Amino acid sequence: MTLLALRAAVARRVTFGHLRTRLSVLYATLFAVALLIVAAVAQIMIVSHARSSVRAELTSSGTVFDRIWSLRSQSLIASTDVLARDFGFRAAVASGDRATIESALLNLKERVGMGSPFIVTLDGTVVGDGTNTIRSTVGKLPFRLAVGRRDAVVASGTGLYRMVASPIMAPTEIGWIIFAVRLDGAEMRALEQLSAIPLTATILGRDMRGRWTPATESSVAVSEALDELVEQAQTRKGRAPETIDLQSGQAFVLAKPLAAADGEPEAVLLFSYPVANALAPYRALQLGILLTGLIGLILVIWGSRRLATGISRPIIALDKAARSLEQGERTEVPVEGADELGRLAESFNKMSAGIVEREHRIAHLAFHDALTGLPNRVFFREQLDGALGRAVKRQGAVAVLCLDLDGFKGVNDTLGHPVGDALLNIIGAQLGELAIDGMVSRLGGDEFAIILADDAVPGRPRLLAQEIIDRMRQPMQAAGHQIATGVSIGIAIGPDDGADVDTLLKNADLALYRAKQDGRGVYRYFEPALDAAARKRRQMELDLRDALRFGQLRLEYQPIVYVQGDRVGCFEALLRWEHPERGAISPLDFIPVAEETGLIVSIGEWVLNEATRQAKQWPDHVRVAVNVSPLQFRNTGFLSLVFRALAQSGLAPDRLEIEITESVFLDSTEPTVALLHRIRELGVRIALDDFGTGYSSLSYLRSFPFDKIKIDRSFITNFAENDSAIAIVRAIIDLANALNMETTAEGVEDEEQLEQLKLQGCTSVQGFLFSRSIPSSEVLAMTDIEHLRAAA
Amino acid sequence: MSKQYPRVSAFKAFLILPALAATAAHAGTVDVTVRASNGRPLANAVVMIDSPGRRDAASRFAGPHVMAQQNIAFRPEILIVPVGANVSFPNRDRVRHHVYSFSTPKKFELKLYGREETRSVTFDKPGVAALGCNIHDAMSGFIIVVDTPFAARTDAAGRVSLTGVPAGRATLRVWHATLRAPGGQIAQPLVVTTAPIAKTVTVSAR
């Protein structure tokens, strides 16, 4: 755990700007660490080896010394024994023949070659040459010697002496020969010669304070370490060489206590070997390791830098390419090698190419229509904006053509969307061919738009519009179908027709709307009036919504009089709108708006409810007729609406008459007929309004058994003077009679018309001759025909 | 060689008689046990009681006094002889011996002689003579020359019993070859009673 934490801590503190540096440092560090370990291990082993070999040498020297010492002792003992055993000598000692004794001792001395012999008698008398100090020591020796011991190293005065003792048996112990040899430098030198390594041998004796000090000249100084060493040497069995600090530095030492007569040793033999000397032979090795390590380190640093550069160069290239890609610029990364880096570079290249390509595609998609590939609305607006700006600067003009396909919805519905899409594609392509000098874009659905910038050819917009209309008139082949459509075009020229994109587009749209209104398949230029008209229309729509909400609408009723009997059979409900500011607004103005905006449905609902409610208050024999727009019919809730109105008002169903025009059948005949039947089942009457003005009035008569046909006013006006008009009317009446339908003539304004109609057999009449439309409150009064005439 | 018996002079016999009479009248027994300092009984120690006026060792220790060399050893190891005794030194070994003594009571040497029974030495001073053989270092023997008749060697148990010791003041001496003391013996005063006395003497021996 700690190791991870450590690594993290190091990583945090130590960051590198370059991969190269990081790698170099890493490798160099690793190598340095490895080298250090090797060097450390080597050093440890060298030191250990040196130590152990010196120790071994010291120990073996110690062993050898033991042997030599003992041999020497034995030799001395042998020499003294020879004399001690001599009978004549024994006799001399026993008889106290001093002269003989002394000469015998002298003889012995010469025989041995060094040292001083003494005789010590039982009573402690010492015979022999020597200082008083030595004699005193010698004299005590035999009595101190432990049983069985024949030799000892004793201190006497300032010197240390090896002494051997031979008992003089005559036949019992009567004395001893003591031979004393001083331990000095010469002895030590002799010992040193024996060792393979240049040891230094020193004899240590106790000084006055009891501390160990060299008895001979030496570099060994008095120290606690020394005392301790000697202590240890005495106690431990296996005396191994130790390291202590001497004056000249650290040294391996072996201390050999020399046996005393009794008790504690009085002398210690110290072998010493400086540590530095031990390690000296290995200096060369250590130096070699160090040197090799340094060279190796340099090599590693250099090598790792090269390696790191080799690794980091492609990475740096990748890094740079990535950063430039970030900026939006694509750069290729050179692919070196077939390893991970090479593969990475390749992948990066592919990836960045892919990114760039996708970016382009996205940009393209953002600005182009997916289906046709033409510029989309967003792009179109941008371009138009730019063109407008340039036009303003150059004081030129920009023409916008808004195109709408006529009857495209029909194609989609009848042939399916795939065909519709194919058609759009083809149209798009054709537009592009025709408007090479402009920018064709698809705004959505079946709407296209073309921007024509100001150019040399005047009237180009007009020409282009006509070309397009002509081309679109011809049937096209799309997805295996032969399709004929048309196109309506609205043209607006900016900056006159609009200084900004929104205004210009709106006006081009208005022009398009006008083109559609004018029958489709044509082009129209924008006129400011269009704008006004459009504004007016919009305003009316808003007002109409308010009208419905705030009860500005009301119903008036125009009576429909039965020809036979002169009584009012029915009242047609007519919608009136009292605008708070503008006053009465004609239904001719607001009904189309209502139908365009779909308000007609809610208005129609209101009308039905209101009419049935008011009609409930009328006499039972009087019906109420309500106009119903095709839009209301298409609304799925119409049937239940009728039902609700009847239920809520309580009006008997057969008192309600619904007037519909032929346009109700335009979209789809069957559902309409089905609905009519169901309304009929309720008991409600159905009348066909504006008969004769539509396209196939007769066939509609066939499809449904209407209760009534209302002859359009256009047939009634001036019909009294016109024979053909009379004939037509008669035909209609006959037809209706034949089909068991009532007839109502609209727009009857004079008596002549009335007489004629009577003659023809028209069931009922409607018009100003009898009454204008009146409010519900006056209806009751009018049910009497007398009042009717009077009112007229 | 024919034995030579020591002659006892008539004068000396006269001297003994009253002593004997006196002895019989006021005499006691002294049992002495000699122990070493570690408590072990010390065998082959010689216990002597010096009673005043009693120098008639010869009466107690009659001859012949023989210190033989047999099997490269002195036999007996310890011989108690009265002052003036003549001790013969027969060599009963096949090898020669060179008997010597440098002790103060008698310094002598019988130079290398073979199997014969002719050598003898007279010991006319009291004391302890340590005998050795020049050739055979291991040979060791002791002749204790006493003038008091009250002397005996301790047995294995370190015990010795001396009878007829006149009552009164006396000196008890103990000698042993290994005794650490001048002359190898220690002395202590002793009061002898008619009743038997048991005494234990502890000596420091090597």
Side-chain angles (χ1 to χ4, degrees), chain A residues 2 57 121 131 158 209 266 282 284 356 364 453 495 610 677 754:
Chain A
T2 47
E57 191 50 49
T121 54
T131 61
T158 55
R209 282 165 292 175
E266 293 170 31
Y282 299 96
V356 168
H364 188 264
E610 184 72 0
H677 276 292
L754 178 59

Side-chain angles (χ1 to χ4, degrees), chain A residues 28 79 112 177 380 409 415 456 465 502 512 661 686 688 714 760:
Chain A
S79 298
V112 172
I177 301 180
F380 169 79
K409 187 171 181 303
L415 297 174
D502 291 317
L512 173 62
T661 59
I686 315 282
L688 187 56
S714 57
Q760 306 299 351

Side-chain angles (χ1 to χ4, degrees), chain A residues 1-12:
Chain A
M1 267 297 282
T2 47
L3 218 62
L4 286 169
L6 187 69
R7 230 188 76 183
V10 168
R12 265 202 298 278

Side-chain angles (χ1 to χ4, degrees), chain A residues 33-45:
Chain A
V33 166
L35 180 67
L36 277 170
I37 292 172
V38 165
V41 167
Q43 177 71 3
I44 290 168
M45 294 194 70

Side-chain angles (χ1 to χ4, degrees), chain A residues 494-535:
Chain A
D496 293 333
D497 290 344
D500 61 275
V501 170
D502 291 317
T503 316
L504 193 57
L505 256 179
K506 182 203 73 171
N507 292 339
D509 241 346
L510 282 172
L512 173 62
Y513 181 72
R514 183 59 184 276
K516 281 195 193 256
Q517 276 193 325
D518 288 353
R520 303 193 142 104
V522 292
Y523 66 87
R524 287 288 176 270
Y525 272 83
F526 170 75
E527 288 153 34
L530 286 177
D531 189 22
R535 262 205 291 278

Side-chain angles (χ1 to χ4, degrees), chain A residues 161-184:
Chain A
Y161 295 86
R162 179 215 302 254
M163 298 188 181
V164 298
S166 288
I168 304 168
M169 310 294 287
T172 54
E173 249 180 30
I174 58 167
W176 298 268
I177 301 180
I178 309 290
F179 207 93
V181 180
R182 195 189 171 114
L183 295 174
D184 60 7

